[in-house]
Amino acid sequence: MEQSFEDLIRIRDRYALEERKMYINYATKLNSLTDEALRNNYVKQFGDACLQDIVGQMIRSFLPSADMYVTADQIMKRVVTFSYKVDYDPLKEQGAVRTLAYNYDEISGIAEFVNNPDFITKLKLDRGIYAGKSRSSLSDYRKKVLVDKKTNTVVDELTGYVRPDQIQEGNNGRTTASLEGDHKVPISEAAVNEEFTRNIDAYIAELERIYNDKDNIWYIDEKANNIKGDISNPEDVIKAWETAKPEQKEVLRQRGYLDENGKVPEHIKSKLREGVESSRKNINVDIDKAQLRNLDVRAVGKHGLKKTAAAIPKMAIGQLLYYMLPPIVYETKCIIISSKEKKLDPESIVAKLEKAVRRIMDYTMHHVGAMFANLAHNTAKNFVRTVFDLVIALLKSFLRHFVRIAKTVVLSVLDSIRIITQENSSTAEKADSITNLFVLALTNVLIEIAAEYLELYGVPSVVMEAVQVLVSVVASNMVFILMEKLDLFDVRYGFKITKLEQILADISKEYDTQYIELRDRTQEEIDVIKNEIRQQISEIQKNMEERDFYNEDVIEDVERINHLFDMNIGFQKEWETFILSPIQ
Amino acid sequence: MSIKDIAKNTWKALLEAPKKIVGAVEHGAKHFVREDTRLQNIDKYKDIVKQYEQQLDKSKEIVNRQIRKYNDTIPLINQKRRADFRDILEELYRFLLQLGKLAQNKWDFSFEMTRAEELGFLEERSLTDYKAWIMPYEKTESQVFDEVAKGLIIGYRIENGKWNEEIEKKCKEIRFATEGVQKKYASIAQQWQDRTFIAATYLECIELIHETITERIIPELELISAFLLAESVKNNIIANIPIENAKPLDISAIKGTIYGRHYTFVKNAFQFYILSRQIYQSPILTRLTQAEQSTSIYSNDKLLITQQKELLQQQSDVLCADIMR
């Protein structure tokens, strides 16, 4: 059947329809891809990050690899996923920021070093004028215990027991009074770390002043004080009173220090404990301040260097392991697999080995620069850590927490410097990592400090450690995710927009290609039809000119025209109607 | 410059300084809450919508050009049909009437239709939609100040971030739609080009037919008429029938005889008559190209979009079910 214009139109219409469908398909695809690119799957990110970190933290807590400055799980991942083309290098990755922050608060084992008994000297300090008996002219005594000047009535600071002050001359020439001044934190505890303190005489004088401060003195019954002696621990004091000789216990009972059952009453117990504890806290602060003022910085530095130098071999091993282990494992895997597959003989295996070794050496040499940079950086960090840890170990009060925070900040600064000098990220990305680093590190150290306080309530430390790991990880990840959301430097926003551009470019290209293919294909079909029709027309034209109408029926030609233009003429029927009727 | 001038200038600079500092702080704050990015994006969006509009205009012009070409051909066709074909119809009719049964010579002429030029149709709706879409994202200075003053700086920053993403996404959508528009109207222009080809060919054909009839059929008619009459008279004389009422010879009778060639000619003339009549009466071209059906192509768009929407709904339901699991 010859072609007609209807065919032409049909093909063209069909093409228009297909083209429309194609557009709608691609527009829909564009839509869903952009939606996906913009979607933030925080929940999944959070879960994944937490899991990864918990594993890492467990290893960190129970495997002492912090000194090597690469964690075991990082090495694991690097080794397992290594290939020359795809090289997982956590030392370069941004996500490693989190792991860095976790590592800052680690104490490097220097504490035991500081508490080396060789360094510490116990002191015998002068008890000062507050203790002992002479008191009537002392304003402090008068303020605290004197109730009635006229009758010389005094109140016992521990029991609250009021009675007149009795001064007696003892048989050994000692004068005793009802109340005696007692150091809450015993002065016999005073000690100095000669290694790390300078101006020792001035320091000792400080200590004297601190221990004999009126806030560290209270006035208690002379008998009780006698029995107590130099015991400082409240629990031991209570025991001493409760297990005293019977006649002494009688006196204590009279003076209110024991009840009828021979036990120390609750209110005295708690006052005792609180008093000693709060005084100890205050004293520690003052001692720490004195220590810091008289810190022998040179000694601290010297020891820090010594320890760091000792750590360098370990760090170097860490670096070598980090760079050489993965390719070794990878090459071994390849050789084993290929020797199994191809059933190689020993000679070819050896040849492969030679090539493998060469590749490994090439790879390692390529990264020597990175190794030395890492080593230098890690040495600096080790030194900072050691020095700060020394100072932290020397302090006893909450002041040491400030030093911990300072240590975290300094270590963050060191790592920030490294991040800034790395070439492979944009400024916004660097600013981003640095901010994350500081925020995370501070979060972490604050959580550790909080954990310490919790520990004072008597939770076993093993449990505490696990809890702390979990809380640390969860909090850090939440902070991390929040930082991502805040996106303070618009890094993630920038990534998203770039992704959108990419998607549009890809889809446009695909759409264009498909469209052109469809259009050209259709055009070919249509051209064929057009040519065929033109041919028909010229044939008809020829016939119209040449046919002998007396001898040739033009039915063929008019039918062609009929079909071509879809005229719906029934020539046969019309003719029959015409001739079969009688002539009028 | 006198000291007075120097003092004056210094005083002026001092007064300016706070403004500059405030300006710098403001600039920094604006950047932090992503205000400036949003304003940039709004400008970018408006640019892209303008480009979309320009593409629409361009495409409209391309299609209209083709339509004009088509429309130019139609009057020629109509003219030919109306005037010239009428004449030959009458001649052929007179001839054929003597020889067989014909319907009455009431031929109703109908015009071949032109196509009006098109306006921005479906796309105009989308254009207004696009223009309106950006409006909620444009906030006045005072609204911005209110937000920031409330102290919800971080929240506002996050909001702006979301808005920026949405605007970017819409920009991509419109850019893609611009390409789609260009291609869609390219194919529509092609359709009109095809129709012009058909029209030109039709004109060629009817000119050919007219020429053939005029030059090769009609001149013969009188001769054949006369011949057939003469034969009839001859036969009447032979059969002794009065010749006054002689009619031309029955056509079917002479088929197959030595006068068969007249039969053929009459048949051809008849076929040409029928053809011409159809050309005269029927708007063949219009029916063929469906020129008066204005919504055939566009209605398909609506259908397609509805189908696509249903398909997407199905897909999203399946995905939701997956996530639940």
Side-chain angles (χ1 to χ4, degrees):
Chain A
M1 182 72 146
E2 279 168 340
Q3 306 281 34
S4 71
F5 284 116
E6 201 176 307
D7 294 325
L8 182 72
I9 290 176
R10 202 170 27 87
I11 291 180
R12 183 64 79 184
D13 281 351
R14 187 192 69 198
Y15 161 72
L17 209 69
E18 272 189 49
E19 193 275 312
R20 285 280 79 205
K21 254 199 237 168
M22 189 189 285
Y23 170 73
I24 289 176
N25 267 341
Y26 279 111
T28 318
K29 204 165 161 190
L30 177 72
N31 228 342
S32 62
L33 282 178
T34 49
D35 273 342
E36 207 181 296
L38 291 177
R39 184 174 24 227
N40 304 306
N41 205 343
Y42 288 126
V43 173
K44 186 163 184 300
Q45 277 179 8
F46 181 65
D48 282 346
C50 276
L51 192 62
Q52 194 181 341
D53 286 343
I54 285 175
V55 170
Q57 281 287 75
M58 289 300 176
I59 293 178
R60 182 183 81 98
S61 303
F62 301 115
L63 279 181
S65 59
D67 262 3
M68 285 168 55
Y69 295 99
V70 227
T71 64
D73 76 323
Q74 280 174 325
I75 297 182
M76 268 302 291
K77 180 163 179 197
R78 183 170 149 79
V79 168
V80 163
T81 62
F82 180 85
S83 86
Y84 286 115
K85 294 191 205 101
V86 178
D87 186 349
Y88 169 66
D89 196 349
L91 287 184
K92 282 196 203 150
E93 255 195 17
Q94 268 195 12
V97 154
R98 272 208 316 281
T99 342
L100 282 175
Y102 289 144
N103 273 335
Y104 287 161
D105 204 34
E106 281 234 339
I107 304 288
S108 50
I110 200 89
E112 298 91 57
F113 175 68
V114 166
N115 294 329
N116 184 351
D118 289 339
F119 294 155
I120 299 182
T121 313
K122 280 232 169 234
L123 299 170
K124 261 197 122 36
L125 297 176
D126 187 8
R127 279 173 181 266
I129 52 172
Y130 289 118
K133 301 145 193 99
S134 56
R135 73 203 71 67
S136 33
S137 57
L138 301 172
S139 60
D140 175 52
Y141 178 74
R142 278 207 288 272
K143 245 186 254 171
K144 278 193 193 170
V145 299
L146 195 59
V147 170
D148 189 345
K149 203 166 108 183
K150 290 211 196 89
T151 56
N152 233 3
T153 318
V154 292
V155 60
D156 183 329
E157 278 195 79
L158 202 54
T159 62
Y161 198 59
V162 178
R163 62 181 216 231
D165 196 9
Q166 294 169 320
I167 301 178
Q168 286 175 319
E169 286 293 329
N171 19 21
N172 45 9
R174 252 180 43 172
T175 321
T176 54
S178 310
L179 299 182
E180 283 188 353
D182 176 48
H183 289 96
K184 293 179 195 170
V185 180
I187 200 165
S188 51
E189 275 184 17
V192 63
N193 190 324
E194 296 195 18
E195 181 69 19
F196 294 109
T197 318
R198 62 186 172 99
N199 300 340
I200 293 193
D201 296 325
Y203 183 65
I204 292 178
E206 262 309 296
L207 283 182
E208 237 177 49
R209 196 189 54 76
I210 291 172
Y211 275 99
N212 288 323
D213 184 81
K214 56 179 157 50
D215 286 329
N216 194 35
I217 306 255
W218 53 14
Y219 292 92
I220 63 174
D221 182 74
E222 49 89 18
K223 198 70 182 189
N225 195 21
N226 225 333
I227 297 172
K228 173 171 111 43
D230 257 340
I231 302 172
S232 57
N233 188 343
E235 308 305 321
D236 294 337
V237 170
I238 292 171
K239 210 160 124 207
W241 284 337
E242 285 175 1
T243 56
K245 289 194 227 136
E247 59 270 21
Q248 289 173 327
K249 278 175 90 169
E250 189 49 44
V251 176
L252 287 176
R253 208 170 300 146
Q254 276 174 16
R255 308 246 168 104
Y257 279 79
L258 292 174
D259 58 15
E260 310 84 51
N261 304 331
K263 299 281 177 207
V264 178
E266 269 314 308
H267 75 277
I268 293 184
K269 269 191 197 169
S270 53
K271 200 140 184 230
L272 189 65
R273 289 184 188 127
E274 272 171 36
V276 173
E277 200 177 301
S278 71
S279 188
R280 192 180 291 282
K281 272 212 198 113
N282 290 335
I283 279 197
N284 281 343
V285 175
D286 291 329
I287 293 177
D288 283 346
K289 282 192 196 157
Q291 175 75 76
L292 283 173
R293 271 199 293 269
N294 294 300
L295 191 66
D296 189 352
V297 179
R298 233 179 263 153
V300 170
K302 192 180 82 186
H303 281 282
L305 269 179
K306 227 177 21 187
K307 183 136 194 305
T308 304
I312 287 183
K314 234 180 171 188
M315 286 192 279
I317 292 174
Q319 287 297 311
L320 269 177
L321 258 187
Y322 183 84
Y323 281 107
M324 291 195 77
L325 190 61
I328 291 175
V329 167
Y330 174 74
E331 293 285 357
T332 317
K333 261 197 296 194
C334 287
I335 291 180
I336 291 179
I337 291 176
S338 66
S339 68
K340 257 199 256 173
E341 278 178 13
K342 299 182 193 161
K343 302 206 196 310
L344 297 171
D345 57 347
E347 272 174 20
S348 24
I349 292 181
V350 166
K352 273 192 183 291
L353 266 175
E354 279 176 359
K355 285 208 201 114
V357 168
R358 215 173 307 145
R359 277 197 292 265
I360 292 170
M361 289 321 292
D362 279 342
Y363 179 81
T364 312
M365 291 323 287
H366 185 70
H367 286 91
V368 155
M371 272 194 255
F372 276 115
N374 289 340
L375 200 57
H377 178 78
N378 289 341
T379 309
K381 273 173 79 175
N382 184 305
F383 179 69
V384 165
R385 184 188 299 245
T386 312
V387 159
F388 270 95
D389 284 346
L390 271 172
V391 178
I392 291 173
L394 283 173
L395 301 178
K396 300 190 194 70
S397 71
F398 68 88
L399 286 179
R400 74 180 192 284
H401 296 316
F402 288 115
V403 183
R404 276 168 86 182
I405 293 176
K407 169 181 149 193
T408 307
V409 169
V410 173
L411 287 174
S412 304
V413 167
L414 279 179
D415 274 325
S416 307
I417 293 174
R418 192 161 77 121
I419 289 173
I420 290 175
T421 55
Q422 271 179 350
E423 329 82 76
N424 57 349
S425 12
S426 70
T427 310
E429 286 170 335
K430 286 178 189 173
D432 202 39
S433 324
I434 289 173
T435 315
N436 285 353
L437 188 64
F438 275 94
V439 170
L440 286 172
L442 285 173
T443 310
N444 213 44
V445 81
L446 289 172
I447 289 177
E448 302 230 3
I449 292 176
E452 263 191 38
Y453 276 102
L454 275 182
E455 233 180 74
L456 288 176
Y457 283 99
V459 182
S461 62
V462 175
V463 173
M464 275 315 299
E465 206 171 322
V467 168
Q468 185 192 308
V469 164
L470 283 171
V471 169
S472 202
V473 161
V474 169
S476 301
N477 279 312
M478 275 173 71
V479 169
F480 194 65
I481 297 282
L482 184 65
M483 298 299 293
E484 288 236 334
K485 204 167 171 192
L486 277 182
D487 194 16
L488 284 175
F489 296 99
D490 285 339
V491 170
R492 261 152 289 278
Y493 175 73
F495 283 151
K496 278 189 201 162
I497 300 305
T498 316
K499 188 109 191 278
L500 287 190
E501 274 296 331
Q502 182 92 29
I503 291 175
L504 180 65
D506 288 343
I507 297 251
S508 272
K509 191 153 152 237
E510 228 182 289
Y511 176 49
D512 254 354
T513 321
Q514 295 293 331
Y515 167 79
I516 288 175
E517 198 255 344
L518 176 68
R519 182 193 66 189
D520 291 345
R521 195 170 14 106
T522 312
Q523 195 58 41
E524 258 185 67
E525 273 185 65
I526 289 193
D527 283 342
V528 163
I529 295 180
K530 276 190 179 171
N531 282 334
E532 212 252 14
I533 288 177
R534 279 201 200 97
Q535 191 136 358
Q536 283 186 49
I537 301 284
S538 40
E539 274 183 38
I540 294 173
Q541 192 174 21
K542 193 164 102 154
N543 290 343
M544 290 291 110
E545 286 170 10
E546 296 176 355
R547 275 212 207 274
D548 177 7
F549 288 142
Y550 282 100
N551 286 314
E552 295 172 70
D553 196 342
V554 295
I555 185 69
E556 199 185 302
D557 299 312
V558 296
E559 277 289 12
R560 258 183 165 175
I561 296 178
N562 188 19
H563 174 68
L564 205 59
F565 291 98
D566 205 27
M567 289 176 168
N568 282 324
I569 304 173
F571 283 109
Q572 191 61 29
K573 191 150 170 276
E574 294 277 357
W575 176 245
E576 283 168 13
T577 315
F578 178 70
I579 61 168
L580 290 180
S581 50
I583 300 172
Q584 54 276 33
Chain B
M1 265 215 283
S2 72
I3 296 194
K4 213 170 156 195
D5 291 323
I6 296 175
K8 231 194 273 176
N9 288 338
T10 319
W11 181 242
K12 240 197 278 177
L14 273 173
L15 287 179
E16 298 282 311
K19 259 191 248 163
K20 285 209 180 119
I21 293 174
V22 168
V25 168
E26 208 181 303
H27 180 79
K30 267 200 178 155
H31 182 71
F32 179 73
V33 291
R34 294 176 174 149
E35 183 71 11
D36 55 352
T37 322
R38 197 195 74 215
L39 293 173
Q40 271 175 23
N41 279 342
I42 290 179
D43 286 337
K44 188 162 73 167
Y45 180 87
K46 290 190 173 156
D47 241 350
I48 289 180
V49 171
K50 210 193 307 177
Q51 283 178 24
Y52 179 73
E53 206 173 3
Q54 284 173 350
Q55 177 65 58
L56 283 180
D57 287 336
K58 222 195 304 183
S59 292
K60 189 164 87 170
E61 190 47 43
I62 289 176
V63 173
N64 284 345
R65 212 182 312 143
Q66 292 301 328
I67 294 182
R68 263 178 252 133
K69 279 198 197 149
Y70 176 81
N71 285 347
D72 286 344
T73 328
I74 302 298
L76 301 173
I77 295 176
N78 281 335
Q79 196 192 32
K80 187 98 195 162
R81 286 167 62 229
R82 190 164 196 187
D84 301 352
F85 269 73
R86 177 112 198 166
D87 294 338
I88 57 178
L89 276 180
E90 294 204 359
E91 292 248 15
L92 287 171
Y93 182 81
R94 246 183 296 136
F95 171 73
L96 293 166
L97 195 59
Q98 307 165 47
L99 303 172
K101 175 157 189 204
L102 282 181
Q104 278 203 300
N105 60 340
K106 274 229 179 95
W107 308 294
D108 298 316
F109 179 77
S110 48
F111 279 95
E112 299 279 13
M113 308 297 283
T114 57
R115 174 79 173 95
E117 293 198 356
E118 76 176 71
L119 315 156
F121 185 59
L122 194 72
E123 269 60 64
E124 190 145 297
R125 218 174 296 148
S126 70
L127 185 64
T128 29
D129 282 348
Y130 287 148
K131 284 188 173 156
W133 186 89
I134 195 68
M135 288 205 261
Y137 293 92
E138 301 177 282
K139 290 190 160 200
T140 61
E141 281 282 339
S142 59
Q143 284 174 313
V144 170
F145 181 73
D146 284 339
E147 298 271 355
V148 175
K150 273 189 225 157
L152 305 167
I153 294 185
I154 292 295
Y156 190 50
R157 180 188 148 84
I158 293 181
E159 269 307 298
N160 258 345
K162 263 193 249 153
W163 289 339
N164 281 334
E165 287 174 12
E166 284 167 24
I167 296 177
E168 285 279 358
K169 176 165 176 253
K170 198 75 176 174
C171 282
K172 304 288 176 281
E173 191 185 306
I174 298 178
R175 274 165 68 188
F176 191 68
T178 311
E179 287 180 41
V181 156
Q182 184 258 327
K183 294 178 170 56
K184 169 174 170 181
Y185 285 98
S187 66
I188 290 178
Q190 270 290 53
Q191 281 173 317
W192 283 106
Q193 216 178 34
D194 289 343
R195 292 198 188 107
T196 312
F197 169 74
I198 298 175
T201 316
Y202 187 58
L203 180 61
E204 215 184 297
C205 263
I206 63 177
E207 280 175 346
L208 172 68
I209 293 169
H210 181 261
E211 197 185 314
T212 314
I213 296 178
T214 318
E215 288 173 19
R216 298 192 64 207
I217 303 286
I218 293 191
E220 310 285 315
L221 294 184
E222 224 178 292
L223 210 60
I224 297 177
S225 248
F227 169 79
L228 290 174
L229 193 57
E231 276 295 307
S232 176
V233 166
K234 185 186 95 182
N235 290 344
N236 276 5
I237 291 174
I238 294 173
N240 245 341
I241 297 172
I243 59 170
E244 293 81 22
N245 299 331
K247 298 196 191 89
L249 216 52
D250 192 355
I251 301 299
S252 37
I254 57 170
K255 181 178 176 180
T257 67
I258 50 166
Y259 302 117
R261 55 197 298 268
H262 297 295
Y263 172 81
T264 313
F265 195 89
V266 170
K267 184 158 186 274
N268 285 338
F270 178 75
Q271 279 164 167
F272 274 118
Y273 168 74
I274 297 293
L275 189 63
S276 306
R277 191 182 66 179
Q278 186 74 338
I279 290 175
Y280 184 83
Q281 289 193 321
S282 251
I284 297 203
L285 183 64
T286 310
R287 198 170 32 84
L288 192 58
T289 60
Q290 295 173 313
E292 77 274 358
Q293 285 187 23
S294 55
T295 56
S296 62
I297 311 158
Y298 308 125
S299 66
N300 270 323
D301 255 359
K302 284 195 192 150
L303 181 65
L304 275 177
I305 289 175
T306 325
Q307 281 177 348
Q308 210 72 7
K309 197 173 124 187
E310 283 170 15
L311 195 63
L312 281 172
Q313 190 62 36
Q314 282 175 17
Q315 283 177 344
S316 85
D317 289 339
V318 169
L319 280 173
C320 283
D322 272 340
I323 291 173
M324 293 301 179
R325 251 185 278 131

